[in-house]
Amino acid sequence: MAVDASLDARIREWEERLAASANSQPPLTLTPAWWQERLLHWATNDPEFRIKLLRFVDVLPTLRSARSVADHVRQYFRDSSPGILQTASGLAAQAVFRPVLSRAVRRGVFSMAHRFIAGETPEAAVPALRDLARDGVASTVDLLGEETLSDAEADAYLGRYTELLDTLSTSAAAISPRGEQWASVPAVNISIKLSALCAHLEPAAPEFVSKTTRKRLRPLLRLAMREGAFINFDLEQYRYKELVHRTFAEVIGEAEFDDFPHVGIVVQAYLRDALQDLHWLADLAKRRGAPFSVRLVKGAYWDEERIVAAQNSWPVPVFERKEETDASFERCTDALLDAWPHLRPAFGSHNPRSVAQAMVKARNTGRQIPDVEFQMLYGMAEGLRNAVAAAGYRTRVYVPVGRVIPGMAYLVRRLLENTSNQAWFNVGGTVSSIAPAPPREEGGRRAEPAFRNAPPAPFFEPDIRERMSASLARARRGFGAGYPLLIDGRRVSDRPSNEVRCPAEPGAVVGQVAQANPQDVDAAVAAAGEAFLEWRELPAYERAEILNRAADFMQRARFDLAATMVFESAKPWHEADGDVCEAIDYLRYYAAEGERLSEPVPLGTVLGEHNESFHEGRGVTAVIAPWNFPLAIITGMSVGALAGGNTAILKPAAQSPIIAYRLVEILRDAGVPSGAVQYLPGPGGEIGRALVEHPGVDNIAFTGSSAVGLGIIQAAAITHPGQRNVKRVVAEMGGKNAIIVDDDADLDQAVSGVLVSAFGYAGQKCSACSRLIIVGSAYEEALERLKNAVASLVVGPPDDPATFVPPVISDDARKKINGYVESGLTYATLLVQTDISHQNSYEVEEAPHYVAPTVFTEVPADSPLAKEEIFGPVLSVSRAGDFEEALEIALNSTFALTGGVFSRNPRHIELARAVFRTGNLYFNRKITGAVVGRQPFGGLAMSGVGAKAGGPDYVRQFMQPRVVSENTTRRGFAPEDSV
Ligand code: NAD
């Protein structure tokens, strides 16, 4: 492409001029207080201190006493920090200095925050907006706040936005800059976030999100029309982008608003799809027939986007190098200017080059574009801003308003930018980062880890949702099919069958499943014994190849498999998809483990002898599985056995046999011989038991309730005539898991973590949270937020992508759970119960098995609610005086499966790490959703015996170790290399 040299020269000229103005002021124009400058200087130069400072600033507003502030100062800044802070941390140790220290620290951080936040309330912010207007600069006001976790909080946000519009409208004249370029522009301009107005921002359900959010947007838009104000829709994380686009398009397309021009939306240039987004918006504006504005920005969630992508094994949606983002900004500038007058351009950047090229290009289009605007953040880049305004351009500042506590996330982001060695004012760096760069190999290629988790389906992509919907339709068409037993090479269908009904539509029979009898058990065990010898002798890499092939098949069938679970087990979309991913992970991870363990390992270095140890299969494994992870767990147990050279007989739970049938089909299609993997559904008490007691069974892999598990351990201890091996039992059992919320916890994070852990899949997870312990001063606020959030949970059928809480697995389960709730009402206090009355308008026998999510407080420590595994959406909350007491309550259980702590107190985190003994302990995150290879899973105490699923010891427990030693000496001579 021929570069227009004169255009480039003009851009350079402007860039230099703007850069000179930007640099005429210090890049950090923070308050003059010397120590603030010092702090930021240290933070810029010392990455470790920078992280401490950011974390401290983040936690500070939630510290409710001088003692607590002092304690945190001590813990965060005791070691390896600048001298003055070490001194402060020394003072913090002495009670007499604490109040003064606490006041000083608070004042310092809050005044730092006020550099970037114009005021706590709209009224308080007006003077700052007036000052801007006097300088010829307009504003767009953003409300800071907590994350919206409930409808009540979304309504409160709507109230605050309304108040904001009202307040600003009464000051419209004062906050509007003078000059003809402002004549046609609303003086009042606010920026809103979809996440503030919707409690259930479900990326898989744009229709639902748009519908619920538009109810709150309409009154705002009406008010804006009445007052002649402007509303801009901000963009947030990538996974919510389509939700914003969809809602924006639908609401501005409604007849009432379809000619209202004073609306706008953001395009984030750091996104790889940025240009595509711009084209889409231009088309939207053309179709609508009325223009709207687009604010082109680089994007503010760069670190988070990279973290989320890495954790989900998704492609990174943002450009990873600053130059790429800059180039994208320039491409988008062209497209945005091209789309005028349908799109009205606003450029949000602090980069002199980006601003210069937009200025020059806007003039170069050959058209008079009257409404080019430049936007910058409040408290930053003031030199640049003044230079742009002085050049006669419309200049607007993005002004956050709100309390400092919920505004901390915003402050931390600004501090990140201001203390990054690579921030915008340092030429050539990346936007910002505290995350280390991904590992790279010599040749510039990224180092690939040996095992990679299967990425969850990105349901925020429309074509992925379409594939899932198509699979659901296909699964429905297959309702009522028959499923035979699979014994050796035979498909046995002439047995009485069991109807599997859909928990959300009990009138619908998902399938008819043949039920095995004791003779079938004998036949299957005999075939498995015979197949064992051949399967064990197969080289481990060949077994691994077969299992990896099965993983590929599963990957290809992922949506069909997920759809089966949606109907058979009432798993909502994400849960069903997660189940498939975990199953794929087990196949790949255990395949590699089987190979590793089969490899002989030489032992010792003594001359004249050769020793080696290796592992091989033990024999026939009975796999007795639960229904709640209907594919993942049965796959894990079967494949753990198969990878180690054993054969497997699968006895699925009565509630979920169909998905297990699909698994056996996949394993056989991939090459596992028919005798090595067999399918034997039937009643647990009869078929499960017969397998456990059978002399031909060598290993038992069980996951299920503690009652059944303990019975199996007992039964397996009895030897029967003809038995070859002492039976080895791996039993993963129940839980009664607790989460502690410390008094300095981030409540946005804690409440949403508790919600997901306690009510995801209606609480039917062994890892689910059923006890919540809140420490001291956090109690009231945490409880209030939890109460509102539980009242807003979306309860519905699992095939609806908006559903968060589906029906429970069966009518029996529903009755049992409701029994706990009813008796709980007699001895505990009901905090909240989600209203599910709209779900119960069915005929009795057709009624889905809904159970209302329920939370109790004042639960006696020895009551069934506090002690027993309920396996449903029921949560008991207790209050602890301090963190130590919280730990005591948490540990008061015979189970020890999972546990969680939300805290920002390093000492408490250390203490919990040492004494909160559960199989899996999680800090500052949900306690469900363990990932293979990263969080190997399994319990202690009465929660299980056996090595952790998805960890390096799992396959070994199905294998026997052998050691072979050879004397390599012949007549006093031994080869040197024989050791
Ligand atoms: P369950 O104990 O009722 O049934 C599990 C399996 O055992 C089923 O296949 C069942 O048919 C079979 N069974 C029942 N009685 C038997 C007997 N006498 N002999 C042999 N087999 C018998 O459990 P469930 O309701 O399917 O699953 C829920 C339970 O599983 C919960 O307690 C949950 O905590 C636990 N669970 C634990 C983990 C874990 O990893 N620790 C994971 C998932 C589920």
Side-chain angles (χ1 to χ4, degrees):
M1 194 178 71
V3 178
D4 181 338
S6 83
L7 185 73
D8 203 47
R10 265 182 294 149
I11 293 175
R12 253 172 229 284
E13 193 185 310
W14 266 105
E15 179 187 351
E16 279 162 24
R17 205 186 300 174
L18 293 172
S21 321
N23 291 334
S24 67
Q25 298 198 255
L28 299 172
T29 50
L30 293 164
T31 77
W34 72 268
W35 70 270
Q36 274 192 25
E37 296 269 345
R38 296 308 306 153
L39 277 184
L40 292 165
H41 176 76
W42 288 322
T44 311
N45 293 304
D46 177 350
E48 202 185 319
F49 174 64
R50 179 167 176 252
I51 288 173
K52 283 184 186 170
L53 178 68
L54 290 172
R55 290 189 168 180
F56 179 74
V57 165
D58 180 49
V59 70
L60 180 70
T62 56
L63 305 180
R64 295 169 181 88
S65 66
R67 187 198 163 97
S68 175
V69 172
D71 185 29
H72 282 73
V73 167
R74 234 174 59 228
Q75 293 189 61
Y76 278 70
F77 300 115
R78 198 169 23 205
D79 317 310
S80 69
S81 296
I84 174 140
L85 287 167
Q86 276 185 34
T87 312
S89 121
L91 291 179
Q94 303 170 43
V96 56
F97 292 119
R98 282 180 200 150
V100 175
L101 180 77
S102 164
R103 265 199 305 277
V105 168
R106 265 182 203 282
R107 208 175 308 131
V109 173
F110 277 46
S111 74
M112 197 145 70
H114 287 306
R115 181 70 209 173
F116 303 107
I117 300 172
E120 292 220 338
T121 60
E123 288 93 67
V126 167
L129 306 182
R130 216 169 32 214
D131 291 349
L132 287 170
R134 249 186 241 130
D135 289 348
V137 174
S139 49
T140 178
V141 178
D142 158 56
L143 281 185
L144 297 175
E146 273 118 5
E147 215 172 282
T148 295
L149 301 175
S150 64
D151 292 335
E153 291 177 359
D155 288 339
Y157 244 116
L158 171 60
R160 290 180 62 209
Y161 280 135
T162 310
E163 185 203 343
L164 178 65
L165 276 179
D166 282 337
T167 309
L168 297 185
S169 299
T170 57
S171 310
I175 64 171
S176 177
R178 308 267 169 260
E180 67 185 49
Q181 73 270 40
W182 297 107
S184 60
V185 182
V188 176
N189 184 317
I190 68 169
S191 290
I192 63 170
K193 290 195 170 55
L194 204 68
S195 62
L197 294 172
C198 181
H200 186 50
L201 213 55
E202 171 50 71
E207 243 178 85
F208 165 89
V209 170
S210 170
K211 195 167 150 219
T212 30
T213 315
R214 274 182 290 144
K215 282 190 203 139
R216 296 196 177 95
L217 284 169
R218 285 185 200 113
L220 266 188
L221 283 166
R222 280 182 205 127
L223 181 59
M225 283 171 86
R226 261 200 322 275
E227 300 287 352
F230 185 102
I231 297 190
N232 196 74
F233 287 59
D234 281 355
L235 240 71
E236 301 172 70
Q237 291 87 342
Y238 179 67
R239 59 191 180 282
Y240 303 134
K241 187 181 75 177
E242 199 205 338
L243 302 181
V244 183
H245 279 181
R246 171 96 172 234
T247 309
F248 176 76
E250 290 185 349
V251 78
I252 66 163
E254 290 183 0
E256 208 183 336
F257 310 114
D258 66 359
D259 59 354
F260 183 48
H262 300 313
V263 285
I265 190 165
V266 167
V267 168
Q268 297 161 316
Y270 67 5
L271 291 183
R272 293 177 190 277
D273 323 342
L275 200 58
Q276 211 175 303
D277 293 345
L278 251 172
H279 291 313
W280 184 81
L281 289 168
D283 283 347
L284 173 69
K286 281 180 207 155
R287 270 183 279 131
R288 180 180 180 239
F292 56 80
S293 300
V294 166
R295 179 197 299 152
L296 177 64
V297 300
K298 299 256 161 104
Y301 302 87
W302 188 80
D303 290 291
E304 186 182 339
E305 296 295 3
R306 295 180 65 230
I307 292 169
V308 169
Q311 289 184 346
N312 290 290
S313 314
W314 285 332
V316 180
V318 293
F319 293 112
E320 294 190 71
R321 289 181 310 123
K322 181 181 180 295
E323 307 86 83
E324 291 175 297
T325 300
D326 288 344
S328 164
F329 196 91
E330 299 202 9
R331 280 194 301 274
C332 291
T333 300
D334 293 333
L336 184 51
L337 293 170
D338 269 357
W340 187 84
H342 306 287
L343 299 181
R344 295 172 168 170
F347 300 95
S349 174
H350 293 167
N351 182 331
R353 160 81 202 184
S354 301
V355 175
Q357 58 90 30
M359 282 178 167
V360 173
K361 284 177 171 171
R363 290 217 177 127
N364 200 49
T365 56
R367 297 178 298 180
Q368 264 301 330
I369 300 185
D371 38 20
V372 176
E373 207 172 275
F374 290 91
Q375 301 192 359
M376 283 147 217
L377 298 174
Y378 184 68
M380 291 175 70
E382 285 168 8
L384 178 69
R385 182 185 85 199
N386 293 337
V388 174
Y393 286 94
R394 271 174 25 193
T395 311
R396 188 180 298 281
V397 169
Y398 185 89
V399 185
V401 167
R403 285 182 306 127
V404 172
I405 296 183
M408 271 304 150
Y410 180 83
L411 174 62
V412 168
R413 222 159 9 181
R414 295 289 77 84
L415 286 179
L416 258 172
E417 272 176 32
N418 272 318
T419 57
S420 167
N421 255 326
Q422 304 184 336
W424 62 270
F425 46 80
N426 289 323
V427 178
T430 52
V431 182
S432 88
S433 172
I434 50 170
R440 284 186 186 272
E441 273 177 353
E442 289 283 290
R445 278 201 9 254
R446 184 153 308 157
E448 291 289 325
F451 164 77
R452 287 177 75 89
N453 296 107
F459 285 124
F460 48 80
E461 291 177 12
D463 56 323
I464 299 291
R465 290 199 298 277
E466 269 163 35
R467 288 175 66 188
M468 181 68 187
S469 299
S471 289
L472 286 168
R474 220 176 358 259
R476 242 181 215 289
R477 288 197 294 275
F479 275 9
Y483 297 87
L485 312 177
L486 299 173
I487 299 177
D488 207 358
R490 291 181 295 128
R491 297 168 62 85
V492 182
S493 16
D494 57 347
R495 298 283 183 277
S497 68
N498 205 15
E499 277 181 347
V500 178
R501 286 170 179 270
C502 179
E505 305 164 41
V509 175
V510 184
Q512 315 258 5
V513 180
Q515 299 292 288
N517 60 36
Q519 292 74 42
D520 295 323
V521 174
D522 289 338
V525 174
E530 214 156 290
F532 166 60
L533 302 176
E534 209 175 307
W535 182 248
R536 181 186 61 190
E537 297 315 317
L538 210 61
Y541 72 86
E542 283 188 32
R543 284 197 297 268
E545 246 173 42
I546 292 173
L547 299 176
N548 279 316
R549 196 176 308 133
D552 294 342
F553 290 173
M554 222 180 238
Q555 176 72 36
R556 243 172 273 156
R558 65 183 296 170
F559 296 110
D560 286 340
L561 294 168
T564 302
M565 287 184 274
V566 166
F567 292 120
E568 184 177 40
S569 310
K571 286 223 144 183
W573 284 33
H574 291 288
E575 303 282 353
D577 178 66
D579 219 295
V580 181
C581 290
E582 191 178 337
I584 295 171
D585 284 351
Y586 283 132
L587 279 159
R588 298 227 159 96
Y589 186 88
Y590 291 157
E593 280 299 297
E595 267 195 275
R596 180 179 70 81
L597 290 162
S598 308
E599 200 61 37
V601 179
L603 303 170
T605 53
V606 175
L607 212 54
E609 65 178 49
H610 179 82
N611 306 298
E612 64 178 28
S613 139
F614 57 93
H615 291 78
E616 63 179 19
R618 287 186 90 233
V620 176
T621 304
V623 175
I624 302 178
W627 52 265
N628 69 328
F629 284 92
L631 180 60
I633 289 183
I634 201 164
T635 303
M637 294 194 292
S638 311
V639 173
L642 286 167
N646 305 272
T647 51
I649 302 172
L650 279 64
K651 207 240 40 95
Q655 300 87 338
S656 58
I658 297 174
I659 190 71
Y661 179 89
R662 303 244 179 272
L663 166 65
V664 175
E665 272 186 332
I666 287 174
L667 288 170
R668 287 181 169 194
D669 287 350
V672 181
S674 55
V677 61
Q678 302 178 76
Y679 175 67
L680 214 61
E686 189 186 344
I687 300 306
R689 204 190 160 97
L691 281 168
V692 169
E693 291 172 355
H694 202 289
V697 168
D698 307 283
N699 305 314
I700 297 151
F702 168 83
T703 305
S705 61
S706 299
V708 174
L710 295 175
I712 287 178
I713 290 170
Q714 211 171 15
I718 299 168
T719 36
H720 298 273
Q723 190 170 321
R724 290 185 296 262
N725 270 316
V726 176
K727 290 178 199 282
R728 188 172 287 170
V729 183
V730 174
E732 302 296 339
M733 301 182 285
K736 184 73 191 170
N737 313 300
I739 290 181
I740 297 175
V741 174
D742 202 358
D743 57 5
D744 71 346
D746 173 345
L747 291 186
D748 281 349
Q749 197 183 50
V751 174
S752 67
V754 168
L755 276 188
V756 173
S757 306
F759 302 107
Y761 192 38
Q764 302 169 109
K765 296 184 186 180
C766 49
S767 51
C769 168
S770 67
R771 296 182 295 143
L772 170 63
I773 305 150
I774 308 174
V775 178
S777 60
Y779 190 76
E780 275 79 23
E781 191 184 341
L783 211 61
E784 180 64 18
R785 297 196 69 191
L786 178 71
K787 181 176 155 188
N788 289 329
V790 171
S792 314
L793 286 173
V794 179
V795 181
D799 54 339
D800 179 345
T803 289
F804 184 68
V805 183
V808 298
I809 191 73
S810 64
D811 198 41
D812 284 348
R814 185 180 67 81
K815 287 185 185 132
K816 185 173 159 222
I817 301 162
N818 282 339
Y820 276 103
V821 171
E822 273 157 35
S823 72
L825 291 171
T826 65
Y827 60 78
T829 306
L830 181 68
L831 176 74
V832 61
Q833 197 160 40
T834 317
D835 177 10
I836 56 161
S837 50
H838 59 292
Q839 298 294 1
N840 284 339
S841 54
Y842 297 82
E843 295 297 317
V844 174
E845 63 277 17
E846 304 280 295
H849 316 307
Y850 287 109
V851 173
T854 305
V855 183
F856 285 103
T857 57
E858 319 281 334
V859 180
D862 55 353
S863 63
L865 278 179
K867 289 270 186 216
E868 293 172 21
E869 185 183 43
I870 300 173
F871 227 59
V874 181
L875 178 67
S876 300
V877 187
S878 20
R879 177 181 197 146
D882 56 25
F883 191 74
E884 285 72 14
E885 189 192 340
L887 282 171
E888 258 172 53
I889 301 173
L891 288 166
N892 181 21
S893 173
T894 51
F895 295 109
L897 188 51
T898 63
V901 175
F902 286 89
S903 176
R904 287 179 284 190
N905 184 323
R907 187 160 29 85
H908 290 176
I909 290 178
E910 261 328 294
L911 178 64
R913 189 192 298 277
V915 306
F916 194 171
R917 289 198 173 77
T918 54
N920 289 68
L921 179 63
Y922 299 96
F923 289 107
N924 296 321
R925 51 152 287 173
K926 63 181 179 171
I927 63 171
T928 53
V931 174
V932 171
R934 278 157 51 194
Q935 293 109 21
F937 185 79
L940 313 177
M942 286 298 155
S943 289
V945 277
K948 291 199 171 277
D953 304 322
Y954 190 78
V955 172
R956 192 198 300 265
Q957 59 195 342
F958 298 104
M959 302 179 88
Q960 52 195 15
R962 288 180 52 200
V963 171
V964 176
S965 302
E966 182 186 350
N967 173 7
T968 54
T969 313
R970 298 279 192 284
R971 305 210 176 270
F973 164 77
E976 284 288 336
D977 59 357
S978 68
V979 288

